[in-house]
Amino acid sequence: MAESNSQPLFSLLVNTASSVVSNIASIFDDDPKPDSLSGFVRNLVYGTEIESEPSHETLPESTPTIPDTTQEPVAEEQQLEQEALVNDELPLLNVHLMKKIHPYLPPLLREAEETVLLYSLDEHGISINTLYKQTSEKGSCLIVIKDDNQTVFGGFCSDSLEPQTGFHGNGSCFLFTTVSGFQVYKATGKNDYLVLSEQHCIAFGGGQGKFGLWMDDQLLNGHSEPCATFGNIRLSKDAEFKIVHLEIWGFRM
């Protein structure tokens, strides 16, 4: 009797379990493998456990390096500026260079109506005597030189450029160059060797036998060195240079 009674009970349990499994599976017919079920229930319903997907994205082993292009526009702008300051056109003192020099002029000269070309190699010939004839008693002036390396540089003289004995000028004198971008070198006050204008040469700065800028009486050869008067670097690429073009400009008030 006990054996016969156990068989219906076992069949009832099996049928009940099958019914439960079928009901659970029917609930998820629209989502055949729902991730929300526990592994045990999914194994119970589908026979195999489904591995859950990672909850976050896998990051690359290394982050790609983004090229830094922030310096490219700056470099391009500097190149364009340099080309504007130094080109094959005359006059050397073009509007771009004058804009750079203007803030360093004495306040009164900043109010000048215009700059006036007093002397140039092309117009007046290669002669220091002619140069002095054109610049004597004309007041403050700018000297602009272009050398055989296509570098433009020069200086500001606070008074007339004319033959004098010894150095002259005041603290408003300065040197400038475009050798590595536009730069100005004001008088440091360390000495009074500001401007020298004699029959055999024209020079700016001095001390220990070094001139910041020097030209011979042929207006052909020159040299530049760092000097104490202006605390300048060498204005030209090479210490010794050939003068390709020379201009001297005055100011009309």
Side-chain angles (χ1 to χ4, degrees), residues 24-41:
I24 294 175
S26 66
I27 293 174
F28 299 103
D29 281 344
D30 294 335
D31 185 8
K33 297 186 185 300
D35 292 337
S36 59
L37 292 176
S38 69
F40 172 77
V41 174

PDB file of all heavy atoms in Angstrom, residues 24-41:
ATOM      1  N   ILE A  24       6.507  30.240 -15.388  1.00  0.00           N
ATOM      2  CA  ILE A  24       7.616  31.209 -15.328  1.00  0.00           C
ATOM      3  C   ILE A  24       8.112  31.512 -16.725  1.00  0.00           C
ATOM      4  O   ILE A  24       8.372  32.663 -17.089  1.00  0.00           O
ATOM      5  CB  ILE A  24       8.757  30.670 -14.450  1.00  0.00           C
ATOM      6  CG1 ILE A  24       8.299  30.570 -12.990  1.00  0.00           C
ATOM      7  CG2 ILE A  24       9.992  31.575 -14.553  1.00  0.00           C
ATOM      8  CD1 ILE A  24       9.321  29.936 -12.059  1.00  0.00           C
ATOM      9  N   ALA A  25       8.255  30.483 -17.552  1.00  0.00           N
ATOM     10  CA  ALA A  25       8.743  30.695 -18.921  1.00  0.00           C
ATOM     11  C   ALA A  25       7.778  31.515 -19.722  1.00  0.00           C
ATOM     12  O   ALA A  25       8.178  32.360 -20.529  1.00  0.00           O
ATOM     13  CB  ALA A  25       8.970  29.331 -19.588  1.00  0.00           C
ATOM     14  N   SER A  26       6.462  31.305 -19.505  1.00  0.00           N
ATOM     15  CA  SER A  26       5.470  32.064 -20.282  1.00  0.00           C
ATOM     16  C   SER A  26       5.480  33.536 -19.916  1.00  0.00           C
ATOM     17  O   SER A  26       5.151  34.383 -20.749  1.00  0.00           O
ATOM     18  CB  SER A  26       4.070  31.470 -20.048  1.00  0.00           C
ATOM     19  OG  SER A  26       3.675  31.652 -18.691  1.00  0.00           O
ATOM     20  N   ILE A  27       5.859  33.861 -18.694  1.00  0.00           N
ATOM     21  CA  ILE A  27       5.920  35.261 -18.273  1.00  0.00           C
ATOM     22  C   ILE A  27       6.946  36.008 -19.096  1.00  0.00           C
ATOM     23  O   ILE A  27       6.780  37.170 -19.455  1.00  0.00           O
ATOM     24  CB  ILE A  27       6.254  35.349 -16.777  1.00  0.00           C
ATOM     25  CG1 ILE A  27       5.108  34.787 -15.940  1.00  0.00           C
ATOM     26  CG2 ILE A  27       6.541  36.816 -16.366  1.00  0.00           C
ATOM     27  CD1 ILE A  27       5.410  34.710 -14.463  1.00  0.00           C
ATOM     28  N   PHE A  28       8.045  35.377 -19.464  1.00  0.00           N
ATOM     29  CA  PHE A  28       9.161  36.023 -20.143  1.00  0.00           C
ATOM     30  C   PHE A  28       9.240  35.644 -21.621  1.00  0.00           C
ATOM     31  O   PHE A  28      10.304  35.659 -22.214  1.00  0.00           O
ATOM     32  CB  PHE A  28      10.480  35.658 -19.450  1.00  0.00           C
ATOM     33  CG  PHE A  28      10.526  36.112 -18.021  1.00  0.00           C
ATOM     34  CD1 PHE A  28      10.328  35.210 -16.990  1.00  0.00           C
ATOM     35  CD2 PHE A  28      10.747  37.451 -17.718  1.00  0.00           C
ATOM     36  CE1 PHE A  28      10.351  35.639 -15.679  1.00  0.00           C
ATOM     37  CE2 PHE A  28      10.791  37.864 -16.408  1.00  0.00           C
ATOM     38  CZ  PHE A  28      10.584  36.976 -15.375  1.00  0.00           C
ATOM     39  N   ASP A  29       8.089  35.307 -22.222  1.00  0.00           N
ATOM     40  CA  ASP A  29       8.109  34.943 -23.639  1.00  0.00           C
ATOM     41  C   ASP A  29       8.600  36.095 -24.500  1.00  0.00           C
ATOM     42  O   ASP A  29       9.264  35.900 -25.505  1.00  0.00           O
ATOM     43  CB  ASP A  29       6.700  34.536 -24.104  1.00  0.00           C
ATOM     44  CG  ASP A  29       6.382  33.105 -23.680  1.00  0.00           C
ATOM     45  OD1 ASP A  29       7.347  32.393 -23.326  1.00  0.00           O
ATOM     46  OD2 ASP A  29       5.194  32.722 -23.691  1.00  0.00           O
ATOM     47  N   ASP A  30       8.280  37.362 -24.099  1.00  0.00           N
ATOM     48  CA  ASP A  30       8.715  38.517 -24.896  1.00  0.00           C
ATOM     49  C   ASP A  30      10.188  38.816 -24.723  1.00  0.00           C
ATOM     50  O   ASP A  30      10.773  39.563 -25.490  1.00  0.00           O
ATOM     51  CB  ASP A  30       7.896  39.771 -24.508  1.00  0.00           C
ATOM     52  CG  ASP A  30       6.434  39.589 -24.885  1.00  0.00           C
ATOM     53  OD1 ASP A  30       6.185  38.791 -25.814  1.00  0.00           O
ATOM     54  OD2 ASP A  30       5.586  40.240 -24.241  1.00  0.00           O
ATOM     55  N   ASP A  31      10.767  38.307 -23.677  1.00  0.00           N
ATOM     56  CA  ASP A  31      12.196  38.525 -23.428  1.00  0.00           C
ATOM     57  C   ASP A  31      12.810  37.177 -23.125  1.00  0.00           C
ATOM     58  O   ASP A  31      12.905  36.780 -21.964  1.00  0.00           O
ATOM     59  CB  ASP A  31      12.384  39.498 -22.259  1.00  0.00           C
ATOM     60  CG  ASP A  31      13.841  39.849 -22.050  1.00  0.00           C
ATOM     61  OD1 ASP A  31      14.686  39.475 -22.881  1.00  0.00           O
ATOM     62  OD2 ASP A  31      14.128  40.503 -21.018  1.00  0.00           O
ATOM     63  N   PRO A  32      13.183  36.435 -24.168  1.00  0.00           N
ATOM     64  CA  PRO A  32      13.552  35.034 -23.971  1.00  0.00           C
ATOM     65  C   PRO A  32      14.700  34.806 -23.031  1.00  0.00           C
ATOM     66  O   PRO A  32      14.806  33.774 -22.443  1.00  0.00           O
ATOM     67  CB  PRO A  32      13.897  34.544 -25.375  1.00  0.00           C
ATOM     68  CG  PRO A  32      14.090  35.771 -26.178  1.00  0.00           C
ATOM     69  CD  PRO A  32      13.283  36.842 -25.554  1.00  0.00           C
ATOM     70  N   LYS A  33      15.562  35.765 -22.857  1.00  0.00           N
ATOM     71  CA  LYS A  33      16.690  35.596 -21.947  1.00  0.00           C
ATOM     72  C   LYS A  33      16.874  36.866 -21.151  1.00  0.00           C
ATOM     73  O   LYS A  33      17.816  37.606 -21.340  1.00  0.00           O
ATOM     74  CB  LYS A  33      17.958  35.247 -22.718  1.00  0.00           C
ATOM     75  CG  LYS A  33      17.862  33.926 -23.466  1.00  0.00           C
ATOM     76  CD  LYS A  33      19.180  33.567 -24.086  1.00  0.00           C
ATOM     77  CE  LYS A  33      19.069  32.320 -24.936  1.00  0.00           C
ATOM     78  NZ  LYS A  33      18.635  31.152 -24.211  1.00  0.00           N
ATOM     79  N   PRO A  34      15.917  37.186 -20.251  1.00  0.00           N
ATOM     80  CA  PRO A  34      15.973  38.441 -19.486  1.00  0.00           C
ATOM     81  C   PRO A  34      17.161  38.453 -18.554  1.00  0.00           C
ATOM     82  O   PRO A  34      17.384  37.514 -17.809  1.00  0.00           O
ATOM     83  CB  PRO A  34      14.652  38.451 -18.727  1.00  0.00           C
ATOM     84  CG  PRO A  34      14.273  37.026 -18.596  1.00  0.00           C
ATOM     85  CD  PRO A  34      14.771  36.339 -19.835  1.00  0.00           C
ATOM     86  N   ASP A  35      17.896  39.573 -18.609  1.00  0.00           N
ATOM     87  CA  ASP A  35      19.068  39.694 -17.745  1.00  0.00           C
ATOM     88  C   ASP A  35      18.679  39.903 -16.301  1.00  0.00           C
ATOM     89  O   ASP A  35      19.504  39.761 -15.407  1.00  0.00           O
ATOM     90  CB  ASP A  35      19.936  40.866 -18.211  1.00  0.00           C
ATOM     91  CG  ASP A  35      20.560  40.557 -19.557  1.00  0.00           C
ATOM     92  OD1 ASP A  35      20.674  39.367 -19.876  1.00  0.00           O
ATOM     93  OD2 ASP A  35      20.910  41.526 -20.265  1.00  0.00           O
ATOM     94  N   SER A  36      17.381  40.296 -16.071  1.00  0.00           N
ATOM     95  CA  SER A  36      16.977  40.602 -14.708  1.00  0.00           C
ATOM     96  C   SER A  36      16.802  39.350 -13.859  1.00  0.00           C
ATOM     97  O   SER A  36      16.758  39.408 -12.643  1.00  0.00           O
ATOM     98  CB  SER A  36      15.665  41.406 -14.718  1.00  0.00           C
ATOM     99  OG  SER A  36      14.660  40.660 -15.371  1.00  0.00           O
ATOM    100  N   LEU A  37      16.671  38.173 -14.492  1.00  0.00           N
ATOM    101  CA  LEU A  37      16.526  36.945 -13.732  1.00  0.00           C
ATOM    102  C   LEU A  37      17.848  36.521 -13.132  1.00  0.00           C
ATOM    103  O   LEU A  37      18.896  36.757 -13.710  1.00  0.00           O
ATOM    104  CB  LEU A  37      16.022  35.819 -14.641  1.00  0.00           C
ATOM    105  CG  LEU A  37      14.592  35.956 -15.180  1.00  0.00           C
ATOM    106  CD1 LEU A  37      14.315  34.800 -16.124  1.00  0.00           C
ATOM    107  CD2 LEU A  37      13.598  35.989 -14.052  1.00  0.00           C
ATOM    108  N   SER A  38      17.768  35.875 -12.006  1.00  0.00           N
ATOM    109  CA  SER A  38      18.985  35.349 -11.415  1.00  0.00           C
ATOM    110  C   SER A  38      19.486  34.177 -12.241  1.00  0.00           C
ATOM    111  O   SER A  38      18.737  33.558 -13.004  1.00  0.00           O
ATOM    112  CB  SER A  38      18.704  34.884  -9.978  1.00  0.00           C
ATOM    113  OG  SER A  38      17.877  33.744 -10.009  1.00  0.00           O
ATOM    114  N   GLY A  39      20.748  33.875 -12.120  1.00  0.00           N
ATOM    115  CA  GLY A  39      21.322  32.770 -12.879  1.00  0.00           C
ATOM    116  C   GLY A  39      20.637  31.454 -12.576  1.00  0.00           C
ATOM    117  O   GLY A  39      20.458  30.622 -13.454  1.00  0.00           O
ATOM    118  N   PHE A  40      20.231  31.286 -11.332  1.00  0.00           N
ATOM    119  CA  PHE A  40      19.599  30.026 -10.951  1.00  0.00           C
ATOM    120  C   PHE A  40      18.286  29.831 -11.672  1.00  0.00           C
ATOM    121  O   PHE A  40      18.003  28.775 -12.226  1.00  0.00           O
ATOM    122  CB  PHE A  40      19.378  29.984  -9.431  1.00  0.00           C
ATOM    123  CG  PHE A  40      18.551  28.808  -8.975  1.00  0.00           C
ATOM    124  CD1 PHE A  40      19.110  27.540  -8.891  1.00  0.00           C
ATOM    125  CD2 PHE A  40      17.204  28.970  -8.670  1.00  0.00           C
ATOM    126  CE1 PHE A  40      18.355  26.460  -8.504  1.00  0.00           C
ATOM    127  CE2 PHE A  40      16.448  27.877  -8.261  1.00  0.00           C
ATOM    128  CZ  PHE A  40      17.018  26.628  -8.181  1.00  0.00           C
ATOM    129  N   VAL A  41      17.433  30.913 -11.683  1.00  0.00           N
ATOM    130  CA  VAL A  41      16.125  30.807 -12.317  1.00  0.00           C
ATOM    131  C   VAL A  41      16.277  30.631 -13.817  1.00  0.00           C
ATOM    132  O   VAL A  41      15.590  29.833 -14.434  1.00  0.00           O
ATOM    133  CB  VAL A  41      15.274  32.057 -12.016  1.00  0.00           C
ATOM    134  CG1 VAL A  41      13.962  32.013 -12.785  1.00  0.00           C
ATOM    135  CG2 VAL A  41      15.002  32.133 -10.531  1.00  0.00           C
TER     136      VAL A  41
END
